[in-house]
Short mmCIF file of all heavy atoms in Angstrom, two decimals:
data_model
loop_
_atom_site.label_atom_id
_atom_site.label_comp_id
_atom_site.label_asym_id
_atom_site.label_seq_id
_atom_site.Cartn_x
_atom_site.Cartn_y
_atom_site.Cartn_z
N ARG A 313 -102.84 -35.93 -1.37
CA ARG A 313 -102.87 -35.75 0.08
C ARG A 313 -103.97 -34.79 0.49
O ARG A 313 -104.39 -33.96 -0.29
CB ARG A 313 -101.53 -35.22 0.59
CG ARG A 313 -100.36 -36.15 0.35
CD ARG A 313 -99.05 -35.51 0.81
NE ARG A 313 -97.94 -36.40 0.65
CZ ARG A 313 -97.52 -37.25 1.57
NH1 ARG A 313 -98.10 -37.31 2.74
NH2 ARG A 313 -96.49 -38.04 1.34
N GLU A 314 -104.36 -34.90 1.77
CA GLU A 314 -105.33 -33.97 2.35
C GLU A 314 -104.76 -33.47 3.67
O GLU A 314 -104.35 -34.26 4.53
CB GLU A 314 -106.67 -34.65 2.59
CG GLU A 314 -107.73 -33.68 3.14
CD GLU A 314 -109.07 -34.38 3.30
OE1 GLU A 314 -109.69 -34.73 2.28
OE2 GLU A 314 -109.48 -34.56 4.47
N CYS A 315 -104.75 -32.14 3.82
CA CYS A 315 -104.26 -31.53 5.06
C CYS A 315 -105.24 -31.84 6.19
O CYS A 315 -106.46 -31.71 6.02
CB CYS A 315 -104.13 -30.02 4.87
SG CYS A 315 -103.63 -29.14 6.36
N LEU A 316 -104.72 -32.24 7.35
CA LEU A 316 -105.58 -32.56 8.48
C LEU A 316 -106.10 -31.31 9.18
O LEU A 316 -107.08 -31.38 9.92
CB LEU A 316 -104.84 -33.46 9.47
CG LEU A 316 -104.46 -34.85 8.93
CD1 LEU A 316 -103.66 -35.63 9.97
CD2 LEU A 316 -105.69 -35.62 8.51
N ALA A 317 -105.48 -30.15 8.93
CA ALA A 317 -105.92 -28.91 9.58
C ALA A 317 -106.99 -28.18 8.75
O ALA A 317 -108.06 -27.85 9.25
CB ALA A 317 -104.73 -27.99 9.82
N CYS A 318 -106.69 -27.96 7.45
CA CYS A 318 -107.61 -27.15 6.64
C CYS A 318 -108.40 -27.97 5.61
O CYS A 318 -109.22 -27.41 4.89
CB CYS A 318 -106.85 -26.02 5.94
SG CYS A 318 -105.71 -26.57 4.65
N GLN A 319 -108.14 -29.23 5.50
CA GLN A 319 -108.81 -30.16 4.58
C GLN A 319 -108.57 -29.86 3.09
O GLN A 319 -109.27 -30.39 2.23
CB GLN A 319 -110.32 -30.27 4.84
CG GLN A 319 -110.70 -31.17 6.01
CD GLN A 319 -110.32 -30.58 7.35
OE1 GLN A 319 -110.62 -29.43 7.62
NE2 GLN A 319 -109.65 -31.36 8.17
N LYS A 320 -107.61 -28.99 2.78
CA LYS A 320 -107.27 -28.73 1.38
C LYS A 320 -106.52 -29.95 0.85
O LYS A 320 -105.79 -30.62 1.57
CB LYS A 320 -106.36 -27.50 1.24
CG LYS A 320 -107.01 -26.21 1.65
CD LYS A 320 -107.85 -25.67 0.53
CE LYS A 320 -108.39 -24.32 0.97
NZ LYS A 320 -109.11 -23.65 -0.03
N ARG A 321 -106.71 -30.22 -0.43
CA ARG A 321 -106.03 -31.35 -1.06
C ARG A 321 -104.90 -30.84 -1.95
O ARG A 321 -105.01 -29.79 -2.58
CB ARG A 321 -107.02 -32.17 -1.88
CG ARG A 321 -108.02 -32.88 -0.98
CD ARG A 321 -108.94 -33.74 -1.76
NE ARG A 321 -109.82 -34.47 -0.83
CZ ARG A 321 -110.63 -35.43 -1.18
NH1 ARG A 321 -110.69 -35.81 -2.44
NH2 ARG A 321 -111.37 -36.03 -0.29
N PHE A 322 -103.82 -31.62 -1.99
CA PHE A 322 -102.69 -31.26 -2.82
C PHE A 322 -101.97 -32.54 -3.27
O PHE A 322 -102.18 -33.62 -2.72
CB PHE A 322 -101.73 -30.30 -2.11
CG PHE A 322 -101.18 -30.79 -0.79
CD1 PHE A 322 -99.90 -31.33 -0.72
CD2 PHE A 322 -101.93 -30.70 0.39
CE1 PHE A 322 -99.39 -31.77 0.49
CE2 PHE A 322 -101.42 -31.13 1.59
CZ PHE A 322 -100.14 -31.67 1.65
N THR A 323 -101.14 -32.39 -4.30
CA THR A 323 -100.44 -33.53 -4.89
C THR A 323 -98.94 -33.39 -4.65
O THR A 323 -98.39 -32.29 -4.77
CB THR A 323 -100.70 -33.60 -6.41
OG1 THR A 323 -102.11 -33.69 -6.62
CG2 THR A 323 -100.01 -34.79 -7.05
N THR A 324 -98.30 -34.50 -4.31
CA THR A 324 -96.85 -34.53 -4.17
C THR A 324 -96.30 -35.64 -5.05
O THR A 324 -97.03 -36.56 -5.43
CB THR A 324 -96.42 -34.77 -2.70
OG1 THR A 324 -96.93 -36.03 -2.27
CG2 THR A 324 -96.89 -33.66 -1.79
N PHE A 325 -95.02 -35.55 -5.37
CA PHE A 325 -94.35 -36.58 -6.14
C PHE A 325 -93.13 -37.04 -5.37
O PHE A 325 -92.36 -36.23 -4.86
CB PHE A 325 -93.92 -36.04 -7.52
CG PHE A 325 -95.07 -35.82 -8.44
CD1 PHE A 325 -95.74 -34.61 -8.47
CD2 PHE A 325 -95.51 -36.84 -9.28
CE1 PHE A 325 -96.81 -34.40 -9.32
CE2 PHE A 325 -96.59 -36.64 -10.13
CZ PHE A 325 -97.24 -35.42 -10.15
N GLU A 326 -92.95 -38.33 -5.30
CA GLU A 326 -91.81 -38.94 -4.63
C GLU A 326 -90.92 -39.55 -5.71
O GLU A 326 -91.38 -40.35 -6.51
CB GLU A 326 -92.31 -40.02 -3.68
CG GLU A 326 -91.25 -40.72 -2.92
CD GLU A 326 -91.85 -41.79 -2.01
OE1 GLU A 326 -92.85 -41.53 -1.33
OE2 GLU A 326 -91.30 -42.91 -2.01
N THR A 327 -89.65 -39.13 -5.74
CA THR A 327 -88.71 -39.66 -6.74
C THR A 327 -87.47 -40.20 -6.04
O THR A 327 -87.15 -39.81 -4.92
CB THR A 327 -88.27 -38.57 -7.74
OG1 THR A 327 -87.64 -37.52 -7.02
CG2 THR A 327 -89.44 -38.04 -8.53
N ILE A 328 -86.76 -41.04 -6.74
CA ILE A 328 -85.48 -41.54 -6.24
C ILE A 328 -84.46 -40.44 -6.38
O ILE A 328 -84.35 -39.81 -7.44
CB ILE A 328 -85.04 -42.78 -7.03
CG1 ILE A 328 -86.01 -43.93 -6.81
CG2 ILE A 328 -83.62 -43.19 -6.66
CD1 ILE A 328 -85.76 -45.13 -7.68
N GLU A 329 -83.71 -40.22 -5.34
CA GLU A 329 -82.66 -39.22 -5.40
C GLU A 329 -81.41 -39.86 -5.99
O GLU A 329 -80.85 -40.80 -5.43
CB GLU A 329 -82.35 -38.67 -4.01
CG GLU A 329 -81.34 -37.55 -4.02
CD GLU A 329 -81.13 -36.95 -2.64
OE1 GLU A 329 -81.71 -37.45 -1.67
OE2 GLU A 329 -80.36 -36.01 -2.55
N ASN A 330 -81.02 -39.36 -7.15
CA ASN A 330 -79.84 -39.90 -7.81
C ASN A 330 -78.59 -39.30 -7.21
O ASN A 330 -78.57 -38.13 -6.80
CB ASN A 330 -79.87 -39.60 -9.31
CG ASN A 330 -80.93 -40.41 -10.02
OD1 ASN A 330 -81.17 -41.55 -9.67
ND2 ASN A 330 -81.57 -39.81 -11.00
N VAL A 331 -77.54 -40.10 -7.16
CA VAL A 331 -76.26 -39.64 -6.65
C VAL A 331 -75.61 -38.79 -7.73
O VAL A 331 -75.48 -39.23 -8.89
CB VAL A 331 -75.35 -40.85 -6.32
CG1 VAL A 331 -73.99 -40.38 -5.84
CG2 VAL A 331 -76.02 -41.74 -5.29
N ALA A 332 -75.25 -37.58 -7.38
CA ALA A 332 -74.59 -36.70 -8.34
C ALA A 332 -73.17 -37.20 -8.57
O ALA A 332 -72.52 -37.69 -7.66
CB ALA A 332 -74.55 -35.27 -7.82
N PHE A 333 -72.72 -37.11 -9.82
CA PHE A 333 -71.34 -37.51 -10.08
C PHE A 333 -70.67 -36.50 -10.99
O PHE A 333 -71.32 -35.70 -11.65
CB PHE A 333 -71.26 -38.94 -10.65
CG PHE A 333 -72.03 -39.16 -11.92
CD1 PHE A 333 -71.43 -38.99 -13.15
CD2 PHE A 333 -73.35 -39.56 -11.89
CE1 PHE A 333 -72.13 -39.21 -14.32
CE2 PHE A 333 -74.06 -39.78 -13.04
CZ PHE A 333 -73.45 -39.60 -14.27
N VAL A 334 -69.36 -36.54 -10.97
CA VAL A 334 -68.53 -35.59 -11.69
C VAL A 334 -67.98 -36.27 -12.94
O VAL A 334 -67.59 -37.44 -12.90
CB VAL A 334 -67.38 -35.10 -10.78
CG1 VAL A 334 -66.40 -34.24 -11.54
CG2 VAL A 334 -67.95 -34.35 -9.59
N VAL A 335 -67.95 -35.54 -14.03
CA VAL A 335 -67.37 -36.03 -15.29
C VAL A 335 -65.94 -35.49 -15.36
O VAL A 335 -65.71 -34.29 -15.21
CB VAL A 335 -68.19 -35.55 -16.50
CG1 VAL A 335 -67.52 -35.99 -17.80
CG2 VAL A 335 -69.62 -36.03 -16.42
N VAL A 336 -64.99 -36.41 -15.57
CA VAL A 336 -63.59 -36.03 -15.71
C VAL A 336 -63.31 -35.92 -17.20
O VAL A 336 -63.35 -36.92 -17.93
CB VAL A 336 -62.65 -37.06 -15.05
CG1 VAL A 336 -61.20 -36.61 -15.20
CG2 VAL A 336 -63.02 -37.27 -13.60
N LYS A 337 -63.06 -34.69 -17.66
CA LYS A 337 -62.84 -34.43 -19.08
C LYS A 337 -61.45 -34.90 -19.51
O LYS A 337 -60.60 -35.18 -18.68
CB LYS A 337 -62.97 -32.93 -19.36
CG LYS A 337 -64.25 -32.30 -18.84
CD LYS A 337 -65.45 -32.80 -19.54
CE LYS A 337 -65.85 -31.82 -20.60
NZ LYS A 337 -67.01 -32.21 -21.35
N LYS A 338 -61.22 -34.96 -20.82
CA LYS A 338 -59.94 -35.42 -21.36
C LYS A 338 -58.77 -34.56 -20.88
O LYS A 338 -57.67 -35.05 -20.68
CB LYS A 338 -59.97 -35.43 -22.89
CG LYS A 338 -60.83 -36.52 -23.47
CD LYS A 338 -60.85 -36.43 -24.98
CE LYS A 338 -61.79 -37.46 -25.57
NZ LYS A 338 -61.91 -37.35 -27.03
N ASN A 339 -59.03 -33.26 -20.69
CA ASN A 339 -57.97 -32.34 -20.27
C ASN A 339 -57.78 -32.32 -18.75
O ASN A 339 -56.98 -31.55 -18.24
CB ASN A 339 -58.24 -30.93 -20.79
CG ASN A 339 -59.49 -30.31 -20.20
OD1 ASN A 339 -60.13 -30.87 -19.31
ND2 ASN A 339 -59.86 -29.14 -20.71
N GLY A 340 -58.52 -33.17 -18.03
CA GLY A 340 -58.38 -33.24 -16.57
C GLY A 340 -59.37 -32.39 -15.80
O GLY A 340 -59.49 -32.54 -14.59
N ASN A 341 -60.05 -31.48 -16.49
CA ASN A 341 -61.06 -30.65 -15.82
C ASN A 341 -62.21 -31.54 -15.34
O ASN A 341 -62.50 -32.58 -15.93
CB ASN A 341 -61.60 -29.57 -16.75
CG ASN A 341 -60.59 -28.48 -17.02
OD1 ASN A 341 -59.60 -28.35 -16.32
ND2 ASN A 341 -60.84 -27.69 -18.04
N ARG A 342 -62.88 -31.09 -14.29
CA ARG A 342 -64.01 -31.81 -13.76
C ARG A 342 -65.24 -30.91 -13.77
O ARG A 342 -65.13 -29.73 -13.47
CB ARG A 342 -63.72 -32.27 -12.33
CG ARG A 342 -62.71 -33.39 -12.25
CD ARG A 342 -62.18 -33.61 -10.83
NE ARG A 342 -61.51 -34.88 -10.67
CZ ARG A 342 -60.36 -35.20 -11.23
NH1 ARG A 342 -59.75 -34.35 -12.01
NH2 ARG A 342 -59.82 -36.39 -11.02
N GLU A 343 -66.38 -31.51 -14.12
CA GLU A 343 -67.64 -30.77 -14.07
C GLU A 343 -68.76 -31.73 -13.72
O GLU A 343 -68.66 -32.93 -13.96
CB GLU A 343 -67.92 -30.04 -15.39
CG GLU A 343 -68.09 -30.93 -16.59
CD GLU A 343 -68.33 -30.14 -17.87
OE1 GLU A 343 -67.51 -29.27 -18.20
OE2 GLU A 343 -69.34 -30.42 -18.54
N MET A 344 -69.83 -31.18 -13.16
CA MET A 344 -70.97 -32.00 -12.79
C MET A 344 -71.60 -32.60 -14.04
O MET A 344 -71.64 -31.95 -15.09
CB MET A 344 -72.02 -31.18 -12.03
CG MET A 344 -71.56 -30.70 -10.66
SD MET A 344 -71.06 -32.02 -9.55
CE MET A 344 -72.59 -32.89 -9.32
N PHE A 345 -72.09 -33.82 -13.93
CA PHE A 345 -72.78 -34.47 -15.04
C PHE A 345 -73.99 -33.63 -15.43
O PHE A 345 -74.76 -33.21 -14.57
CB PHE A 345 -73.22 -35.88 -14.65
CG PHE A 345 -74.06 -36.55 -15.68
CD1 PHE A 345 -73.49 -37.07 -16.83
CD2 PHE A 345 -75.43 -36.65 -15.52
CE1 PHE A 345 -74.27 -37.69 -17.80
CE2 PHE A 345 -76.22 -37.27 -16.47
CZ PHE A 345 -75.64 -37.79 -17.62
N ASP A 346 -74.15 -33.39 -16.71
CA ASP A 346 -75.26 -32.60 -17.22
C ASP A 346 -76.00 -33.40 -18.28
O ASP A 346 -75.54 -33.55 -19.40
CB ASP A 346 -74.74 -31.28 -17.80
CG ASP A 346 -75.84 -30.34 -18.24
OD1 ASP A 346 -77.03 -30.73 -18.19
OD2 ASP A 346 -75.51 -29.21 -18.64
N ARG A 347 -77.14 -33.91 -17.89
CA ARG A 347 -77.97 -34.74 -18.78
C ARG A 347 -78.33 -33.98 -20.05
O ARG A 347 -78.38 -34.54 -21.14
CB ARG A 347 -79.22 -35.15 -18.01
CG ARG A 347 -80.22 -35.91 -18.79
CD ARG A 347 -81.51 -36.09 -18.00
NE ARG A 347 -82.54 -36.62 -18.84
CZ ARG A 347 -82.66 -37.90 -19.15
NH1 ARG A 347 -81.83 -38.77 -18.66
NH2 ARG A 347 -83.62 -38.31 -19.95
N THR A 348 -78.58 -32.68 -19.93
CA THR A 348 -78.98 -31.85 -21.07
C THR A 348 -77.90 -31.85 -22.14
O THR A 348 -78.21 -31.91 -23.34
CB THR A 348 -79.27 -30.41 -20.61
OG1 THR A 348 -80.20 -30.46 -19.54
CG2 THR A 348 -79.83 -29.56 -21.73
N LYS A 349 -76.63 -31.81 -21.75
CA LYS A 349 -75.53 -31.85 -22.72
C LYS A 349 -75.55 -33.16 -23.50
O LYS A 349 -75.33 -33.17 -24.71
CB LYS A 349 -74.18 -31.73 -22.01
CG LYS A 349 -73.78 -30.34 -21.65
CD LYS A 349 -72.39 -30.38 -21.07
CE LYS A 349 -71.75 -29.04 -21.01
NZ LYS A 349 -70.38 -29.11 -20.50
N LEU A 350 -75.84 -34.24 -22.80
CA LEU A 350 -75.89 -35.55 -23.43
C LEU A 350 -77.03 -35.61 -24.45
O LEU A 350 -76.83 -36.04 -25.59
CB LEU A 350 -76.09 -36.61 -22.34
CG LEU A 350 -75.70 -38.04 -22.62
CD1 LEU A 350 -74.26 -38.15 -23.08
CD2 LEU A 350 -75.90 -38.87 -21.36
N VAL A 351 -78.20 -35.14 -24.05
CA VAL A 351 -79.36 -35.13 -24.95
C VAL A 351 -79.07 -34.25 -26.16
O VAL A 351 -79.30 -34.66 -27.31
CB VAL A 351 -80.64 -34.64 -24.22
CG1 VAL A 351 -81.77 -34.40 -25.19
CG2 VAL A 351 -81.06 -35.62 -23.14
N ASN A 352 -78.55 -33.05 -25.94
CA ASN A 352 -78.27 -32.12 -27.04
C ASN A 352 -77.25 -32.69 -28.02
O ASN A 352 -77.39 -32.54 -29.24
CB ASN A 352 -77.82 -30.77 -26.52
CG ASN A 352 -78.94 -30.00 -25.85
OD1 ASN A 352 -80.12 -30.28 -26.07
ND2 ASN A 352 -78.58 -29.04 -25.01
N GLY A 353 -76.21 -33.34 -27.51
CA GLY A 353 -75.20 -33.95 -28.37
C GLY A 353 -75.78 -35.05 -29.24
O GLY A 353 -75.47 -35.15 -30.43
#
Side-chain angles (χ1 to χ4, degrees):
R313 297 177 177 270
E314 183 178 292
C315 177
L316 295 177
C318 69
Q319 281 70 49
K320 295 278 184 175
R321 292 183 176 189
F322 58 100
T323 302
T324 60
F325 289 89
E326 180 181 315
T327 59
I328 295 173
E329 185 176 3
N330 290 324
V331 178
F333 58 92
V334 173
V335 177
V336 181
K337 308 294 262 180
K338 289 178 184 176
N339 65 6
N341 289 344
R342 288 167 164 68
E343 63 182 55
M344 293 303 295
F345 174 76
D346 185 356
R347 176 189 170 80
T348 307
K349 279 185 165 183
L350 202 55
V351 170
N352 290 340

